[in-house]
Amino acid sequence: VQLQASGGGLVQTGGSLRLSCAASGRSFSMYAMGWFRQGPGKEREFVAASSRAGGTYYGNSVKDRFTISRDTSKNTVYLQMNSLKPEDTAVYYCAADYTIYGSSSYYSDRSRYSYWGQGTQVTVSS
């Protein structure tokens, strides 16, 4: 599967952005989809994930501000980001894997994702 992320940009503190990740290939509904981010000088960290069973999972720093959703008719997963903060500045990557299922901790483990998009830059100005 190939992933194409888009929707990044420059936004002021408190603003919103919606990222999209379009997936090619078949059986999109069978894939766990995740969003990760990597800020300057930081490791790549988990942001959110959507399981093939419809469950959603979030990193502690984005809970109650970000929402992940998927549209199977468009083979696309979205990340709605509200109340953005300067510390949300990062390159955001979408990821996919069809073997992730079960424990919630699996979804935040980046090593479990086989497919990655190219990343989209999000910059939040103060």
Side-chain angles (χ1 to χ4, degrees):
V1 62
Q2 292 184 323
L3 305 174
Q4 181 71 39
S6 62
L10 174 65
V11 64
Q12 291 185 334
T13 296
S16 298
L17 280 175
R18 189 177 79 158
L19 306 183
S20 300
C21 176
S24 65
R26 299 177 295 178
S27 303
F28 173 74
S29 62
M30 297 300 294
Y31 283 79
M33 301 296 297
W35 285 99
F36 291 76
R37 68 185 182 186
Q38 189 164 14
K42 298 181 180 180
E43 291 191 357
R44 194 168 298 190
E45 67 169 346
F46 172 69
V47 176
S50 168
S51 76
R52 60 186 184 183
T56 56
Y57 309 90
Y58 296 95
N60 288 334
S61 62
V62 305
K63 276 181 184 177
D64 301 323
R65 298 189 297 124
F66 291 9
T67 303
I68 189 170
S69 61
R70 67 166 78 194
D71 185 339
T72 54
S73 68
K74 297 182 179 180
N75 280 12
T76 300
V77 63
Y78 302 100
L79 184 68
Q80 178 66 43
M81 307 185 295
N82 298 328
S83 303
L84 283 162
K85 305 174 182 180
E87 51 263 44
D88 295 318
T89 295
V91 178
Y92 283 70
Y93 299 89
C94 60
D97 200 279
Y98 66 88
T99 65
I100 300 174
Y101 191 77
S103 172
S104 60
S105 64
Y106 294 168
Y107 295 92
S108 61
D109 182 353
R110 63 179 187 262
S111 70
R112 293 184 178 270
Y113 291 84
S114 299
Y115 305 99
W116 291 83
Q118 85 289 0
T120 185
Q121 176 72 46
V122 171
T123 302
V124 185
S125 63
S126 57

